[in-house]
């Protein structure tokens, strides 16, 4: 009977442990160096140093808020010059609009002044308010807006440091760049029946100038109506693609001393107010007295007892 040997695999299993060196006994008196353990990181808290780092950002935010919303009223005189010789500004300011903007609310005021208002023009004497620009331009080209601003200050007691001057004939290319302007009439105006009308550049200019069967008070109202209609139209996203062309047309015929750094501030205030947020008024018939001068000119004498309360209400004078 043959002796059977136990089965042995040709290769030992992978889990077989081989010890190549003999184990040594541990000496109880032997000292071992402890492995240092790093303490867990603590969550960083915002301390005084962190706040100091963020102060520049907070300061910038405060400056921006003050810039856009601080209750600093800005007064601007809008001048519309009509029939000036080519290449000059020697025309009368047939449109005179006081525009006042307070960005905080926002509060937008617009007051139209009749061109025939009889006032004291510094260095000239008594005459129509629209001649202040004309006489100054004849004497020194480019001085018309400053002379009109000074005339407003002397007679109305308002500090108006800025002006925007445009020629009436510039209305046509601006409206053409807008693709026409749509107006809503509640009553017959300038030869148009009540309802909605879209005017091209030539029609818009005629509408602004028209005084057929009316007087300068109607003309002032028509000018304000066109202004608000244009404002409302350009707020419509469908018109935004025309903004570059409109801006280019306006810059061709508009000049101003309004600093560029004020444009975003005032623009945001106008956008927030919208066309319906503008308080637009005119010096009405009750605030003036028709008068014929010794030279036969028909003018309007100001009734300051009625005008001054309006100035106080609108501009806080």
């Amino acid at each position: 009977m043959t002796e059977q040997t136990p089965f042995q695999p040709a290769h030992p299993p992978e889990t077989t442990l081989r010890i190549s060196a003999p184990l040594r006994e541990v000496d109880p008196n032997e000292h071992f160096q402890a492995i240092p353990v790093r303490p867990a990181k603590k969550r960083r808290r915002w301390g005084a140093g962190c706040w100091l780092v963020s102060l520049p950002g907070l300061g910038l935010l405060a400056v921006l808020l003050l810039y856009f919303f601080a209750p600093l009223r800005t007064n601007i005189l809008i001048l519309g010059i009509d029939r000036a010789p080519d290449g000059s500004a020697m025309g009368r300011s047939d449109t005179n609009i006081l525009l006042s903007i307070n960005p905080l609310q926002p509060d937008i005021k617009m007051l139209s002044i009749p061109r025939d208002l009889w006032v004291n023009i510094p260095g000239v004497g008594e005459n129509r308010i629209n001649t202040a620009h004309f006489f100054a331009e004849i004497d020194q080209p480019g001085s018309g807006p400053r002379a009109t601003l000074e005339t407003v200050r002397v007679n109305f007691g308002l500090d108006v440091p800025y002006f925007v001057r445009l020629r009436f004939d510039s209305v046509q290319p601006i409206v053409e760049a807008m693709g026409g302007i749509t107006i809503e009439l509640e009553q017959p105006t300038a030869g148009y029946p009540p309802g909605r009308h879209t005017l091209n550049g030539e029609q818009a200019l005629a509408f602004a100038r028209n005084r057929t069967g009316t007087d300068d008070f109607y003309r002032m109202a028509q000018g304000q109506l066109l202004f608000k209609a244009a404002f409302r139209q350009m707020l419509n996203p469908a018109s935004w693609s025309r903004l570059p062309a409109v801006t280019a047309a306006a810059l061709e015929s508009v000049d101003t001393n309004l600093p560029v750094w004020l444009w975003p501030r005032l623009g945001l205030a106008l956008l927030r107010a919208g066309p319906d947020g503008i308080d637009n008024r005119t010096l009405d018939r009750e605030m003036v007295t028709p008068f014929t001068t010794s030279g036969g000119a028909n003018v309007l004498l100001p009734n300051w007892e009625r005008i001054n309360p309006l100035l106080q209400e609108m501009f806080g004078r």
Side-chain angles (χ1 to χ4, degrees):
M1 182 178 217
T2 59
E3 184 179 355
Q4 294 182 353
T5 58
F7 172 78
Q8 295 182 355
H11 301 284
E14 294 292 333
T15 57
T16 303
L17 178 64
R18 294 176 179 270
I19 302 176
S20 59
L23 298 174
R24 72 181 181 88
E25 296 181 359
V26 178
D27 186 354
N29 296 320
E30 186 176 359
H31 297 281
F32 296 92
Q33 183 177 1
I35 300 175
V37 179
R38 295 181 180 179
K41 291 184 178 180
K42 294 182 179 180
R43 181 175 296 178
R44 187 176 181 181
R45 297 181 178 179
W46 285 89
C50 297
W51 283 114
L52 288 175
V53 172
S54 65
L55 280 179
L58 292 174
L60 178 60
L61 177 61
V63 169
L64 288 175
L65 290 175
L66 285 173
Y67 170 74
F68 281 108
F69 302 110
L72 301 176
R73 184 175 294 279
T74 301
N75 294 331
I76 306 166
L77 181 62
I78 300 175
L79 300 171
I81 310 303
D82 201 8
R83 295 183 174 87
D86 292 339
S88 76
M90 290 189 297
R92 302 187 180 194
S93 58
D94 282 350
T95 293
N96 301 275
I97 300 176
L98 284 170
L99 179 66
S100 186
I101 302 175
N102 185 334
L104 182 61
Q105 299 183 13
D107 180 29
I108 314 294
K109 308 287 189 183
M110 188 166 64
L111 177 66
S112 291
I113 303 172
R115 65 178 186 173
D116 292 333
L117 192 69
W118 194 254
V119 297
N120 178 31
I121 300 176
V124 175
E126 291 188 332
N127 212 312
R128 293 184 176 96
I129 193 171
N130 67 342
T131 62
H133 181 276
F134 174 73
F135 288 134
E137 287 290 335
I138 290 178
D139 182 60
Q140 181 181 352
S143 64
R146 293 195 303 272
T148 311
L149 291 175
E150 180 64 12
T151 300
V152 169
R153 186 191 67 80
V154 168
N155 290 273
F156 290 83
L158 291 174
D159 181 21
V160 186
Y162 305 118
F163 70 87
V164 175
R165 178 175 64 174
L166 69 155
R167 299 191 307 271
F168 264 103
D169 55 10
S170 68
V171 171
Q172 185 167 343
I174 292 174
V175 172
E176 294 293 349
M178 293 173 57
I181 185 171
T182 301
I183 58 175
E184 293 277 356
L185 300 179
E186 297 181 358
Q187 58 187 3
T189 306
Y192 290 90
R196 172 176 292 191
H197 306 275
T198 299
L199 311 181
N200 60 27
E202 184 178 357
Q203 292 169 330
L205 178 59
F207 184 90
R209 284 175 166 165
N210 185 276
R211 290 200 301 170
T212 304
T214 61
D215 55 21
D216 202 37
F217 295 98
Y218 285 102
R219 184 174 176 272
M220 289 189 294
Q222 290 161 196
Q224 291 187 357
L225 188 151
L226 275 179
F227 175 85
K228 295 181 73 171
F231 186 20
R232 180 177 289 104
Q233 187 164 317
M234 295 314 299
L235 287 180
N236 188 335
S239 299
W240 291 354
S241 62
R242 296 183 174 272
L243 279 174
V246 173
T247 302
L251 292 177
E252 284 290 327
S253 52
V254 175
D255 65 299
T256 179
N257 68 340
L258 191 66
V260 175
W261 64 268
L262 271 178
W263 295 8
R265 167 186 168 90
L266 303 181
L268 179 61
L270 285 168
L271 289 175
R272 290 174 59 213
D276 297 328
I278 298 177
D279 179 10
N280 58 294
R281 311 192 202 183
T282 66
L283 294 186
D284 59 34
R285 293 174 181 82
E286 295 181 357
M287 298 178 183
V288 297
T289 301
F291 176 75
T292 302
T293 66
S294 58
N298 294 320
V299 300
L300 300 172
L301 296 179
N303 184 348
W304 294 112
E305 291 183 358
R306 291 185 176 272
I307 294 175
N308 286 333
L310 176 64
L311 296 176
Q312 178 64 37
E313 177 186 349
M314 295 188 71
F315 307 107
R317 199 198 66 173

